[in-house]
Amino acid sequence: MSAGPDDEHGDDGGAERPSKSARKRAAHAAQELGEALLRLPEAELSALELPEALREALRAARRIGSRAALARQRQYIGKLMRQVDTEPIRAALGARSERDARETERFRRIENWRDRLMTEGEVALAELARWYPAIDVNAWRRRIGAARAQRERGGTAGAASRELFRALRALFATMPP
């Protein structure tokens, strides 16, 4: 019995294998995802349901000091990643990224309020009091005055400015994002 052209390549009835370029792109994507896992804190890494071999390979990579050995370990992690369903990992990293973006935006909003309070004074404080009517306006005046005085003396933000920031952060934490 002679083998036909399709039998030579192990074709199983029409299912096409991905091209070599597609396989390389998938391998690089898996390795990049593995490197993203390396940057996660241990607590977040533990929360992911990863196979034990992958988890151990990630822990080992964190202990490696040699660049060449770390490069080999990253390739090994990439190889292990190709055997794992990456969608739950991508989803977890995406959620983390969104959470980080919200936190960054919240931080900027607090900084902007601190700067406004220090530059605009009573006008900005009145607006803050409209948004948050329960605040102690006199305590806020003292904080703002201390931060302004410190800035005028030293030219840079100091302990009073940081205290104003912490008070704003605590105030904004009581409200929905």
Side-chain angles (χ1 to χ4, degrees):
M1 185 174 198
S2 77
D6 289 339
D7 292 338
E8 258 179 59
H9 300 289
D11 191 5
D12 58 349
E16 289 187 32
R17 275 184 46 178
S19 69
K20 183 176 180 181
S21 297
R23 290 193 313 267
K24 284 180 86 172
R25 279 191 300 273
H28 285 294
Q31 188 166 349
E32 287 173 11
L33 187 57
E35 290 185 26
L37 290 175
L38 274 173
R39 292 188 293 272
L40 285 179
E42 183 61 35
E44 289 184 41
L45 189 62
S46 296
L48 295 174
E49 294 181 21
L50 300 175
E52 189 56 38
L54 178 57
R55 190 181 312 271
E56 187 53 42
L58 290 163
R59 285 188 188 119
R62 291 180 176 177
R63 294 187 302 263
I64 294 174
S66 164
R67 276 184 65 164
L70 184 57
R72 286 189 303 275
Q73 187 69 11
R74 283 182 173 150
Q75 287 178 336
Y76 176 61
I77 289 168
K79 178 181 176 184
L80 292 173
M81 290 297 298
R82 289 191 296 271
Q83 301 166 5
V84 173
D85 180 16
T86 59
E87 285 313 306
I89 297 169
R90 287 185 197 285
L93 291 176
R96 181 180 194 268
S97 178
E98 288 175 19
R99 187 177 64 246
D100 288 349
R102 281 192 309 271
E103 190 59 34
T104 299
E105 177 56 35
R106 184 173 168 272
F107 183 84
R108 285 188 183 131
R109 189 174 40 221
I110 294 168
E111 276 187 328
N112 288 339
W113 266 106
R114 179 186 58 188
D115 293 344
R116 281 190 63 202
L117 288 169
M118 289 174 65
T119 56
E120 298 174 22
E122 285 296 321
V123 174
L125 182 57
E127 186 178 338
L128 185 65
R130 277 195 307 275
W131 284 91
Y132 302 96
I135 65 171
D136 180 358
V137 175
N138 289 326
W140 282 89
R141 277 191 187 109
R142 285 191 299 275
R143 284 187 191 107
I144 294 165
R148 285 174 126 179
Q150 191 170 42
R151 184 180 62 188
E152 289 170 6
R153 282 192 311 265
T156 60
S161 178
R162 287 190 298 274
E163 171 56 33
L164 181 58
F165 183 89
R166 282 191 292 269
L168 283 166
R169 185 176 55 203
L171 180 65
F172 289 174
T174 64
M175 301 302 285

Coordinates of all heavy atoms in Angstrom, one line a residue, residues 90-123:
R90 N -4.3 35.6 32.0 CA -4.5 36.9 31.3 C -5.6 37.7 32.0 O -5.5 38.9 32.2 CB -4.8 36.7 29.8 CG -3.6 36.2 29.0 CD -3.9 36.2 27.5 NE -2.9 35.4 26.8 CZ -1.7 35.8 26.5 NH1 -1.3 37.0 26.9 NH2 -0.9 35.0 25.8
A91 N -6.7 37.0 32.3 CA -7.8 37.7 33.0 C -7.4 38.3 34.3 O -7.7 39.4 34.6 CB -9.0 36.8 33.1
A92 N -6.6 37.5 35.1 CA -6.2 37.9 36.4 C -5.2 39.1 36.2 O -5.3 40.1 37.0 CB -5.5 36.8 37.1
L93 N -4.3 39.0 35.3 CA -3.4 40.1 35.1 C -4.1 41.4 34.5 O -3.7 42.5 34.9 CB -2.3 39.7 34.1 CG -1.3 38.7 34.6 CD1 -0.3 38.3 33.5 CD2 -0.5 39.2 35.8
G94 N -5.1 41.2 33.7 CA -5.9 42.3 33.2 C -6.7 43.0 34.4 O -6.7 44.2 34.4
A95 N -7.2 42.2 35.3 CA -7.9 42.8 36.4 C -7.0 43.5 37.3 O -7.3 44.6 37.8 CB -8.6 41.6 37.2
R96 N -5.8 43.0 37.5 CA -4.7 43.7 38.3 C -4.4 45.0 37.6 O -4.2 46.0 38.3 CB -3.5 42.8 38.4 CG -2.4 43.4 39.2 CD -1.2 42.4 39.3 NE -0.3 42.8 40.4 CZ 0.7 43.6 40.2 NH1 1.0 44.1 39.0 NH2 1.5 43.9 41.2
S97 N -4.2 45.0 36.3 CA -3.9 46.2 35.6 C -4.9 47.3 35.7 O -4.7 48.4 35.9 CB -3.6 45.8 34.1 OG -3.3 47.0 33.4
E98 N -6.2 46.8 35.6 CA -7.3 47.8 35.8 C -7.3 48.3 37.2 O -7.6 49.5 37.4 CB -8.6 47.1 35.5 CG -8.9 46.8 34.0 CD -10.1 46.0 33.8 OE1 -11.0 46.0 34.7 OE2 -10.2 45.4 32.7
R99 N -7.1 47.5 38.2 CA -7.0 47.9 39.6 C -5.9 48.9 39.8 O -6.1 50.0 40.4 CB -6.9 46.7 40.5 CG -7.0 47.0 42.0 CD -6.9 45.7 42.8 NE -5.6 45.1 42.7 CZ -5.4 43.9 42.1 NH1 -6.4 43.2 41.7 NH2 -4.2 43.4 42.1
D100 N -4.8 48.7 39.2 CA -3.6 49.6 39.3 C -3.9 50.9 38.6 O -3.6 52.0 39.1 CB -2.4 49.0 38.7 CG -1.8 47.9 39.5 OD1 -2.2 47.7 40.7 OD2 -0.9 47.2 39.0
A101 N -4.6 50.9 37.5 CA -5.0 52.1 36.8 C -6.0 52.9 37.6 O -5.8 54.2 37.7 CB -5.6 51.8 35.4
R102 N -7.0 52.3 38.2 CA -7.9 53.0 39.1 C -7.2 53.6 40.3 O -7.4 54.8 40.7 CB -9.0 52.1 39.6 CG -10.1 51.8 38.6 CD -11.3 51.1 39.2 NE -11.0 49.9 40.0 CZ -10.9 48.7 39.5 NH1 -11.1 48.5 38.3 NH2 -10.6 47.7 40.4
E103 N -6.2 52.9 40.9 CA -5.5 53.4 42.0 C -4.6 54.6 41.6 O -4.5 55.6 42.3 CB -4.6 52.3 42.6 CG -4.0 52.6 43.9 CD -5.0 53.0 45.0 OE1 -6.1 52.5 45.0 OE2 -4.7 53.9 45.8
T104 N -4.0 54.5 40.4 CA -3.2 55.6 39.9 C -4.1 56.9 39.7 O -3.7 58.0 40.1 CB -2.5 55.2 38.6 OG1 -1.6 54.1 38.9 CG2 -1.7 56.4 38.0
E105 N -5.3 56.7 39.1 CA -6.2 57.8 38.9 C -6.6 58.4 40.3 O -6.7 59.6 40.4 CB -7.4 57.3 38.1 CG -8.4 58.4 37.9 CD -7.9 59.6 37.3 OE1 -7.0 59.5 36.4 OE2 -8.4 60.7 37.6
R106 N -6.9 57.5 41.2 CA -7.3 58.0 42.6 C -6.1 58.8 43.2 O -6.4 59.9 43.8 CB -7.6 56.8 43.4 CG -8.1 57.1 44.8 CD -8.6 55.8 45.5 NE -8.8 56.1 46.9 CZ -7.9 56.0 47.9 NH1 -6.7 55.6 47.5 NH2 -8.2 56.3 49.1
F107 N -4.9 58.3 43.1 CA -3.8 59.0 43.6 C -3.6 60.4 43.0 O -3.4 61.4 43.6 CB -2.5 58.2 43.3 CG -1.2 58.8 43.9 CD1 -0.9 58.5 45.2 CD2 -0.4 59.6 43.1 CE1 0.3 59.1 45.7 CE2 0.8 60.1 43.6 CZ 1.1 59.8 44.9
R108 N -3.8 60.5 41.6 CA -3.7 61.8 40.9 C -4.8 62.7 41.4 O -4.6 63.9 41.5 CB -3.8 61.6 39.4 CG -2.5 61.0 38.9 CD -2.6 61.0 37.4 NE -1.4 60.4 36.8 CZ -1.3 59.4 35.9 NH1 -2.5 59.0 35.4 NH2 -0.2 58.9 35.5
R109 N -6.0 62.2 41.6 CA -7.1 63.1 42.0 C -6.8 63.6 43.4 O -7.0 64.8 43.6 CB -8.4 62.2 42.0 CG -9.6 63.0 42.3 CD -10.9 62.2 42.2 NE -10.7 60.9 42.7 CZ -11.2 59.8 42.2 NH1 -11.9 59.8 41.1 NH2 -11.0 58.6 42.8
I110 N -6.2 62.8 44.3 CA -5.9 63.3 45.6 C -4.8 64.4 45.5 O -4.8 65.4 46.2 CB -5.5 62.1 46.5 CG1 -6.7 61.2 46.8 CG2 -4.9 62.6 47.9 CD1 -6.3 59.9 47.4
E111 N -3.8 64.1 44.7 CA -2.7 65.1 44.5 C -3.2 66.4 44.0 O -2.8 67.5 44.5 CB -1.6 64.6 43.6 CG -0.6 63.7 44.2 CD 0.5 63.4 43.2 OE1 0.2 63.3 42.0 OE2 1.6 63.2 43.6
N112 N -4.1 66.3 43.0 CA -4.7 67.5 42.5 C -5.5 68.3 43.5 O -5.4 69.6 43.6 CB -5.7 67.2 41.3 CG -4.9 66.8 40.1 OD1 -3.7 67.1 39.9 ND2 -5.5 66.1 39.2
W113 N -6.3 67.6 44.4 CA -7.0 68.3 45.4 C -6.0 68.9 46.4 O -6.2 70.1 46.9 CB -7.9 67.3 46.2 CG -9.3 67.4 45.6 CD1 -9.9 66.5 44.8 CD2 -10.2 68.4 45.8 NE1 -11.2 66.9 44.5 CE2 -11.4 68.1 45.1 CE3 -10.2 69.6 46.5 CZ2 -12.5 68.9 45.0 CZ3 -11.4 70.4 46.4 CH2 -12.5 70.1 45.7
R114 N -5.0 68.2 46.8 CA -4.0 68.8 47.7 C -3.4 70.1 47.1 O -3.3 71.1 47.8 CB -2.9 67.8 48.0 CG -1.8 68.4 48.9 CD -0.6 67.5 49.1 NE 0.0 67.2 47.9 CZ 1.0 66.3 47.7 NH1 1.4 65.6 48.7 NH2 1.5 66.1 46.5
D115 N -3.0 70.0 45.8 CA -2.4 71.2 45.2 C -3.4 72.4 45.1 O -3.1 73.5 45.4 CB -1.9 70.9 43.8 CG -0.7 69.9 43.8 OD1 -0.1 69.7 44.9 OD2 -0.5 69.3 42.7
R116 N -4.7 72.0 44.8 CA -5.7 73.1 44.8 C -5.9 73.7 46.1 O -6.0 74.9 46.3 CB -7.0 72.5 44.3 CG -7.1 72.3 42.8 CD -8.5 72.0 42.4 NE -9.4 73.1 42.7 CZ -10.8 72.9 42.8 NH1 -11.3 71.7 42.7 NH2 -11.5 73.9 43.1
L117 N -6.0 72.8 47.2 CA -6.2 73.4 48.5 C -5.0 74.3 48.9 O -5.2 75.3 49.6 CB -6.3 72.2 49.5 CG -7.6 71.5 49.5 CD1 -7.6 70.2 50.3 CD2 -8.8 72.3 49.9
M118 N -3.8 73.9 48.5 CA -2.6 74.7 48.9 C -2.5 76.0 48.1 O -2.1 77.0 48.6 CB -1.4 73.9 48.8 CG -1.2 72.8 49.8 SD 0.2 71.7 49.6 CE 1.5 72.8 49.9
T119 N -3.0 76.0 46.9 CA -2.9 77.2 46.0 C -4.1 78.1 46.1 O -4.0 79.3 46.2 CB -2.6 76.9 44.5 OG1 -3.6 76.0 44.1 CG2 -1.2 76.2 44.4
E120 N -5.3 77.5 46.1 CA -6.6 78.3 46.1 C -7.1 78.6 47.5 O -7.9 79.4 47.6 CB -7.6 77.5 45.3 CG -7.3 77.3 43.8 CD -8.3 76.5 43.1 OE1 -9.5 76.3 43.6 OE2 -7.9 75.9 42.1
G121 N -6.7 77.8 48.5 CA -7.1 78.0 49.8 C -8.6 77.9 50.1 O -9.2 76.8 49.9
E122 N -9.2 79.0 50.5 CA -10.6 79.0 51.0 C -11.6 78.6 49.8 O -12.6 77.9 50.1 CB -11.0 80.3 51.5 CG -10.5 80.6 52.9 CD -11.0 79.7 54.0 OE1 -12.2 79.3 53.9 OE2 -10.2 79.3 54.8
V123 N -11.3 79.0 48.6 CA -12.2 78.6 47.5 C -12.2 77.1 47.3 O -13.3 76.5 47.2 CB -11.7 79.3 46.2 CG1 -12.5 78.9 45.0 CG2 -11.7 80.8 46.3

